[in-house]
Amino acid sequence: MISLCTLLILPGIQHQEWLECCDVWDKSDNIRLDMSAVSTLSDINNIFHLAYPTATRALSLCVFSELAEHPNTPDDILQSLFILGDKGCQESIALRESLSPSLLQKCLSAEIIHPPRFAFLKLMQFPSEWLTLDMYPMVLFSEQMRIYEKGDEEGSEHYRYGAFHWWLKNHPTAIQLSNLLQLTYLDKDELMAGDARSYIINAIKE
C-alpha cells in the first residue's frame, strides 16, 4: 500500500519555499494538503499573496479552495478567489453562511449559490431579495427542508410566512427588521405579506 504524504503549509512560508511546495505537489500522486496552522487574517493574507502569482498551478488551486472555506478569509480575498478558483472553490464560497451583497450577486449570477437552497427558494417562490439581503441563512433553509413534503410548493406562501416568523422569533436587529418589512412588499401574496407586515411593524415599535 502506498502511504499518503502530507504537505504542511506554515503561515510564515516564503516565496522560494512556496515554489518548492508547488513542485512537490506536481510530482506527487498521493499527497494531501494540511493548512491547519493557517488561522489568522495575517496568515491568510500571506498565503493568498504567495499563491496569487502561481494561480494556475495545481497547489494554488487547492489552497484557494481551502481559503474559500476558512472562516477568517476576508471579503476582498473571497472576491479574488471567486475569479481565480475553480468551480469547486466557487461552490465553497457559495456555501458560506454570510456573503457580502457583491459576492452574493456573483454567486447568484453564476447560479452556484448552494444549488439546493437556490432551487428551494425558486420552488417556494421567494423573491430573490431574500438572498441578496442575506435573509435566508442556511439554518433557516435546513429547518424548512426538514418539514418539506412533495407538493408543499402548491402552498408556498406558508413557507414564506414561516420564514418571516422564524426571524421574528430569533430577535432580529433593526436592519433585519427593515429588510423583513421590505420583503413583505416584494411578495406576490399580498394577504399573507400584509399579515406578516403587521407583526414586523409591532416588533419595530417594541
Side-chain angles (χ1 to χ4, degrees):
M1 180 181 292
I2 300 175
S3 61
L4 187 67
C5 299
T6 298
L7 181 62
L8 178 63
I9 301 295
L10 297 173
I13 186 173
Q14 300 299 307
H15 177 67
Q16 186 56 42
E17 293 173 305
W18 170 259
L19 294 179
E20 291 171 2
C21 285
C22 286
D23 290 338
V24 168
W25 188 268
D26 289 342
K27 295 173 183 177
S28 302
D29 293 326
N30 295 283
I31 192 167
R32 71 179 186 88
L33 185 62
D34 183 351
M35 288 180 51
S36 58
V38 177
S39 59
T40 68
L41 180 58
S42 176
D43 296 343
I44 292 169
N45 273 309
N46 181 50
I47 298 300
F48 172 73
H49 287 103
L50 277 175
Y52 180 83
T54 56
T56 58
R57 299 198 64 171
L59 178 58
S60 294
L61 292 173
C62 291
V63 166
F64 290 159
S65 290
E66 290 286 326
L67 293 179
E69 296 179 6
H70 200 292
N72 294 333
T73 302
D75 184 74
D76 61 328
I77 290 182
L78 289 174
Q79 298 273 358
S80 297
L81 293 176
F82 192 88
I83 297 169
L84 296 169
D86 56 19
K87 187 67 176 291
C89 181
Q90 292 179 340
E91 290 176 349
S92 293
I93 292 172
L95 282 169
R96 295 176 73 92
E97 182 62 37
S98 182
L99 297 173
S100 67
S102 61
L103 193 52
L104 182 57
Q105 192 56 53
K106 282 186 174 69
C107 293
L108 288 171
S109 297
E111 294 191 353
I112 58 163
I113 178 72
H114 190 223
R117 180 168 51 148
F118 186 60
F120 187 74
L121 282 169
K122 292 177 70 174
L123 180 68
M124 292 304 180
Q125 301 180 49
F126 280 78
S128 62
E129 285 81 2
W130 278 89
L131 280 178
T132 57
L133 291 172
D134 196 20
M135 295 298 290
Y136 199 76
M138 287 296 295
V139 62
L140 173 55
F141 166 67
S142 297
E143 287 190 17
Q144 293 205 318
M145 278 301 295
R146 274 198 295 271
I147 64 172
Y148 171 75
E149 294 182 359
K150 187 175 181 180
D152 283 356
E153 56 271 20
E154 298 300 323
S156 61
E157 70 278 5
H158 296 295
Y159 281 78
R160 302 196 302 278
Y161 188 70
F164 285 118
H165 281 278
W166 180 89
W167 273 106
L168 292 171
K169 288 187 292 185
N170 282 278
H171 311 292
T173 64
I175 292 175
Q176 289 167 338
L177 283 170
S178 177
N179 287 342
L180 288 172
L181 192 62
Q182 179 182 342
L183 289 168
T184 65
Y185 289 104
L186 297 173
D187 201 282
K188 70 173 190 175
D189 190 318
E190 295 181 3
L191 184 62
M192 176 277 288
D195 186 64
R197 190 179 308 127
S198 65
Y199 286 96
I200 296 166
I201 291 172
N202 286 336
I204 292 173
K205 291 178 179 177
E206 291 178 355

